[in-house]
Amino acid sequence: MILFLYTCGIRFYGGLLWLISPFHSKAKQWTKGRKGQISRIEKLIANWHEGPRIMIHAASYGEYEMSIPIISELQKTIPELKCIISFYSPSGYENVTFSDSKFVKIYLPLDTISNQRKLIELIQPDAVIFIKYEFWYNLLRVLSGNNSKSTATPYYYTSINIPEDSYLWNPLAKSLLNLIKNGRLWCHNETNMAFLKNRGIEKLELLGDTRIDKVIKNVSTHNHPILFDHTDNVKIIFGSLCPEDLDMAVDYINNNQEYNYAVAPHDVEDSFIEEIRNRLKISSVLYSRMNTESDNQNLVIIDTLGDLKFLYKGFDIAYVGGGFSKGPHNLLEPLIYGTKIICGSNIKKFPLAQDLNKKGLLLVMNNERELETHIDEAINTDENLFIKKKEAYIQDNKSRLPQLIKELQQLLNPNL
């Protein structure tokens, strides 16, 4: 019965997105990207005759960023490795491109048995890696070999954290939880690993957060301009700004025009960027046009995707968006540069945010009215003490990526 209701719900969801796609840009991308996809994949992998294959599923662009250290390390010892990168959200698929023919990007199909079986039988991955919390019931059934037309495929979860109040502990989700248990779970931290072990999950290893590996690499490969490097004024950046953050950010900037600002929308849609510019009382320059427009304004709108992680450098304070809805976006990207961070209150299911908050590396707002108070507190924070705390945190929480890579190497190429 649960499987029947799940499949009905999935099909209803897909139909709903199809109906609203003419009026909703993301729904249009979601449906258009999946149309005729199997034929496109067949053409792209037609020449993949030799070498192991791995499928990595990332919900969106942020999760894809977390997969990059894994892919890079595997390629060092298995150069013939073929990678299928699957996305659920257009924010990942539409903004990632590959020039290497050993890489193919796809949309994860609507989660029905027939769709997922057709995909897995076509790409024939030797292993599947899910970045964080992607629990797709029918895809896991196919990978587990739980139907007569499938053979089992090893699958892994990386940096996983399943809290005590997760729906997965509900008896109605037992069959899904059993499928997750069939995989290898590389945990986000020791606390959750111990919790999962007490709940009867056995295939556990400690990974940590591969985002730390990624932000360390960001520093080493930084080749972007440092915004407002010419001034000693306080520099504040609103990163991954969501629509629900907009009123608060606009009010603060308009009432505190003496500072330097950057605003980076989470979705770089023209309409949202135009709304931001129209509501601000001070003139701004688009980051993409800084070489052609006058760049002496004290406000930059970052209208490109993929640059924000570098542009945090040089800012004193970062407000990271999303904390008043689904949860804060990447907090490590500003932290690695020693930028003080502020976010909204929804950190209950985000162990990284909780940990940073406990260690004095993150200011968490209870409501939007606290922004000014928290910015003042960040301005008055002891810079040297903050940097020492930051360095200690980064050093103590580097991921145990080599262990995961070693296991994957042995699976993908036992002759290594």
Side-chain angles (χ1 to χ4, degrees):
M1 177 58 72
I2 297 299
L3 175 58
F4 173 76
L5 293 174
Y6 174 83
T7 301
C8 287
I10 285 292
R11 291 188 180 280
F12 174 78
Y13 176 74
L16 180 63
L17 288 178
W18 181 80
L19 286 173
I20 68 172
S21 61
F23 319 103
H24 192 283
S25 60
K26 279 195 172 182
K28 184 177 181 179
Q29 290 175 320
W30 194 96
T31 53
K32 183 180 178 181
R34 288 165 169 81
K35 186 176 181 180
Q37 179 170 245
I38 291 296
S39 297
R40 291 198 302 273
I41 297 173
E42 286 177 338
K43 293 177 182 178
L44 289 169
I45 68 173
N47 295 320
W48 283 8
H49 303 306
E50 297 179 356
R53 303 179 182 186
I54 190 168
M55 172 178 165
I56 297 179
H57 178 63
S60 60
Y61 189 82
E63 285 76 13
Y64 167 70
E65 288 270 292
M66 292 180 69
S67 75
I68 293 176
I70 299 173
I71 297 170
S72 298
E73 290 301 314
L74 287 174
Q75 284 186 304
K76 289 178 182 178
T77 53
I78 314 176
E80 70 276 15
L81 179 68
K82 311 299 192 300
C83 297
I84 302 96
I85 314 296
S86 67
F87 295 95
Y88 179 77
S89 167
S91 71
Y93 184 91
E94 300 293 336
N95 293 290
V96 172
T97 57
F98 299 117
S99 57
D100 190 335
S101 62
K102 296 194 291 292
F103 284 78
V104 167
K105 68 172 182 177
I106 67 173
Y107 270 113
L108 190 72
L110 196 66
D111 191 40
T112 66
I113 279 288
S114 59
N115 284 345
Q116 303 294 19
R117 183 189 299 131
K118 188 180 298 183
L119 174 68
I120 297 303
E121 290 181 350
L122 172 62
I123 64 177
Q124 299 180 29
D126 296 289
V128 175
I129 297 177
F130 295 95
I131 306 298
K132 295 181 72 175
Y133 321 130
E134 288 291 285
F135 307 128
W136 295 105
Y137 188 31
N138 284 319
L139 175 56
L140 293 180
R141 288 181 66 209
V142 172
L143 296 177
S144 296
N146 282 10
N147 60 84
S148 58
K149 295 185 179 181
S150 297
T151 56
T153 302
Y155 54 93
Y156 298 75
Y157 279 93
T158 64
S159 297
I160 194 168
N161 180 78
I162 305 178
E164 190 172 357
D165 61 351
S166 171
Y167 71 91
L168 291 172
W169 307 120
N170 188 306
L172 295 176
K174 183 178 179 180
S175 55
L176 174 57
L177 182 61
N178 287 336
L179 288 170
I180 295 170
K181 288 180 181 180
N182 286 342
R184 288 278 282 166
L185 276 59
W186 288 75
C187 300
H188 186 277
N189 55 45
E190 292 178 347
T191 301
N192 196 245
M193 182 174 171
F195 169 71
L196 296 179
K197 188 174 182 179
N198 289 334
R199 285 291 186 120
I201 299 180
E202 298 177 352
K203 299 177 183 179
L204 300 170
E205 296 288 346
L206 181 63
L207 177 62
D209 196 333
T210 57
R211 287 174 296 185
I212 291 182
D213 302 74
K214 188 65 176 67
V215 295
I216 291 173
K217 187 174 182 180
N218 289 347
V219 174
S220 66
T221 58
H222 192 287
N223 59 358
H224 285 59
I226 300 176
L227 301 179
F228 311 117
D229 195 32
H230 60 282
T231 177
D232 293 328
N233 288 348
V234 173
K235 295 177 270 293
I236 302 171
I237 182 169
F238 290 85
S240 298
L241 196 75
C242 300
E244 58 270 15
D245 302 311
L246 184 57
D247 289 345
M248 174 185 63
V250 165
D251 288 345
Y252 185 85
I253 294 172
N254 286 339
N255 291 323
N256 298 272
Q257 298 184 28
E258 68 274 21
Y259 300 144
N260 292 101
Y261 297 99
V263 177
H266 179 59
D267 290 318
V268 289
E269 295 182 357
D270 292 342
S271 58
F272 189 40
I273 291 172
E274 190 64 24
E275 180 182 359
I276 294 171
R277 300 188 84 180
N278 289 338
R279 292 182 59 183
L280 290 168
K281 294 179 181 178
I282 54 179
S283 61
S284 61
V285 60
L286 294 175
Y287 177 71
S288 64
R289 300 185 63 185
M290 284 185 66
N291 292 330
T292 57
E293 295 183 1
S294 173
D295 60 356
N296 60 359
Q297 289 95 341
N298 65 334
L299 171 61
V300 175
I301 307 293
I302 301 170
D303 59 333
T304 57
L305 192 69
D307 293 310
L308 175 61
K309 58 181 174 286
F310 298 108
L311 297 178
Y312 279 118
K313 185 175 183 179
F315 279 88
D316 302 295
I317 300 162
Y319 172 83
V320 176
F324 287 114
S325 55
K326 295 180 179 179
H329 294 285
N330 198 320
L331 301 170
L332 291 169
E333 289 178 347
L335 181 70
I336 193 67
Y337 295 114
T339 303
K340 275 81 76 177
I341 316 168
I342 302 168
C343 76
S345 58
N346 184 20
I347 66 169
K348 186 177 180 181
K349 296 182 179 180
F350 294 83
L352 169 65
Q354 294 173 20
D355 202 20
L356 292 177
N357 183 231
K358 290 176 183 176
K359 289 178 168 58
L361 293 168
L362 174 67
L363 296 171
V364 179
M365 299 164 52
N366 293 311
N367 55 67
E368 295 179 355
R369 296 186 300 275
E370 294 183 350
L371 178 61
E372 186 165 1
T373 301
H374 281 62
I375 288 180
D376 289 343
E377 183 178 345
I379 290 173
N380 294 312
T381 296
D382 185 297
E383 187 79 23
N384 292 329
L385 179 60
F386 184 84
I387 293 297
K388 287 180 180 178
K389 287 181 179 179
K390 181 267 291 188
E391 294 292 346
Y393 183 86
I394 295 295
Q395 187 62 37
D396 293 343
N397 289 276
K398 288 180 180 178
S399 78
R400 292 166 171 80
L401 188 59
Q403 290 94 314
L404 172 61
I405 296 302
K406 184 177 180 179
E407 182 170 325
L408 289 170
Q409 288 171 338
Q410 290 174 346
L411 172 68
L412 298 170
N413 190 344
N415 297 322
L416 286 175

